Amino acid sequence: MTDIMDPRIEPRSSDDLDRGTIYFKNVTRRVSLGGTRSLAALDDVSITIPAGSRLALFADGMETSRAFLSCLAGHDPISSGTLLVGGCSSWVIGSRMPLMPSLSGRDNADFLISVYGVYDDDTRELDFIEKLCDLGELFDQPLEKYSSGMKDRFKLALSLAFQFDVYPVMRFDGWNCRSEVPFMQQVKRLVDRRLEGRTLIAEASGSQSFARDYCTTGIVFKDGQIILQGTPDECATLAKEVRAARKDRSLSRSLRQHSDVEDSLEDTMNELLEASQPSTGSNPGLENSQDRNLPS
């Protein structure tokens, strides 16, 4: 497999790439922190990911993983640079799924089939979704009536119903579920078949095991830049250290801010106390009043 850290090709458009190949060159994505503040979630990133790769993303903050996957899927624009994807990409699985709570499962499935379906006769994809989620009559009820478990089953079925060249995965809803073992065993067999020969980019910093189950290589981001390519285990070790260092920096910054606030409050209190202290001999009226109250 080609070294994914080596952007060895200079494509002019997506048509120059094999289906499933991903090309980042000097890509920056800034995200708003409110007001005039912003953060470079991706900072001058250059990487070529060959078709068929199974890549785990490790980052010191979820904003970086989210930006990488969202830009890859076309959800968000890049701020600068070049990003090309050979073939077609799925939506970010586990994030921003285009569903309408007021519509039924069937209506939502019909809508996605109209966008992503590959068959002129769409009954095969609809039948697949209905059978896999196995919701019975609830398939024709609004999603807002579904329990969280039902929604997970429905989203899993949607994610497996369509064939893409690239699968960006933030999380696979219900993947760690242990309460529906036969169902999840079936899902995992279908995932194996669906991902065969396709490109998988999966967020791996969280607690879900999906990326560890499928990815064969990984990259680590720090401050929006790639600092390591290696095995998932190597990346997980370094990512843990990077996140711990970031947490320590954040804690130190918070403690300094807290200390500054305490010092400011103490200075203000001292000023108030000094202002409330009467000067010696400055209030003869008070002294005379005290003298009148003395016993004779």
Side-chain angles (χ1 to χ4, degrees):
M1 181 178 292
T2 304
D3 186 345
I4 63 173
M5 294 297 291
D6 178 18
R8 60 192 179 90
I9 55 177
E10 292 286 345
R12 288 171 294 181
S13 70
S14 297
D15 294 336
D16 295 332
L17 298 175
D18 293 334
R19 299 185 72 86
T21 299
I22 302 164
Y23 178 77
F24 282 70
K25 183 175 182 181
N26 305 125
V27 170
T28 294
R29 163 66 181 170
R30 301 198 69 86
V31 296
S32 174
L33 297 178
T36 59
R37 297 185 304 149
S38 66
L39 169 73
L42 301 177
D43 187 7
D44 198 32
V45 173
S46 293
I47 181 172
T48 299
I49 305 172
S53 298
R54 295 189 175 186
L55 179 67
L57 297 181
F58 296 86
D60 55 349
M62 293 301 290
E63 62 274 4
T64 292
S65 295
R66 190 175 294 111
F68 190 94
L69 295 173
S70 294
C71 291
L72 169 61
H75 292 177
D76 293 325
I78 60 176
S79 302
S80 62
T82 301
L83 170 55
L84 302 173
V85 178
C88 58
S89 171
S90 166
W91 63 85
V92 179
I93 295 173
S95 175
R96 292 191 181 184
M97 206 160 190
L99 301 177
M100 295 290 290
S102 60
L103 298 182
S104 68
R106 186 182 301 278
D107 290 337
N108 274 284
D110 278 335
F111 170 72
L112 289 178
I113 290 169
S114 70
V115 177
Y116 298 107
V118 297
Y119 302 112
D120 292 334
D121 178 5
D122 63 12
T123 58
R124 280 178 289 182
E125 289 159 330
L126 184 61
D127 289 345
F128 174 88
I129 295 169
E130 185 173 8
K131 289 176 181 177
L132 181 58
C133 64
D134 192 23
L135 296 174
E137 294 180 356
L138 279 172
F139 191 63
D140 291 299
Q141 294 296 316
L143 293 190
E144 57 195 8
K145 294 186 177 181
Y146 290 13
S147 66
S148 59
M150 292 174 183
K151 290 177 182 176
D152 283 348
R153 291 169 71 99
F154 181 62
K155 290 177 182 178
L156 277 169
L158 291 175
S159 300
L160 292 170
F162 308 103
Q163 184 68 71
F164 298 98
D165 299 297
V166 177
Y167 288 88
V169 179
M170 193 70 190
R171 57 174 288 108
F172 229 112
D173 295 289
W175 188 258
N176 289 353
C177 178
R178 295 292 179 267
S179 61
E180 300 181 80
V181 174
F183 172 72
M184 289 309 300
Q185 288 176 341
Q186 181 184 15
V187 166
K188 289 179 180 180
R189 286 195 297 270
L190 292 169
V191 169
D192 290 341
R193 295 178 58 186
R194 184 58 85 194
L195 292 179
E196 186 174 353
R198 309 294 168 172
T199 302
L200 169 67
I201 313 294
E203 203 288 318
S205 301
S207 61
Q208 196 173 68
S209 65
F210 179 81
R212 296 191 296 273
D213 291 341
Y214 281 94
C215 293
T216 56
T217 189
I219 54 175
V220 181
F221 281 92
K222 179 184 178 183
D223 298 329
Q225 298 181 330
I226 298 172
I227 61 171
L228 175 69
Q229 173 208 348
T231 67
D233 288 341
E234 291 170 340
C235 290
T237 300
L238 178 59
K240 184 176 180 180
E241 296 172 0
V242 169
R243 288 195 300 272
R246 175 174 175 169
K247 185 176 181 180
D248 289 343
R249 291 197 305 270
S250 177
L251 178 60
S252 297
R253 184 165 55 251
S254 177
L255 289 174
R256 286 197 302 271
Q257 292 172 347
H258 182 68
S259 178
D260 291 343
V261 170
E262 283 190 331
D263 291 343
S264 177
L265 287 174
E266 186 172 348
D267 291 343
T268 301
M269 179 60 72
N270 289 335
E271 292 173 1
L272 291 172
L273 290 174
E274 290 174 2
S276 65
Q277 293 288 340
S279 300
T280 304
S282 62
N283 194 343
L286 179 60
E287 292 176 356
N288 293 336
S289 174
Q290 290 174 337
D291 290 341
R292 284 194 298 271
N293 291 330
L294 291 175
S296 55

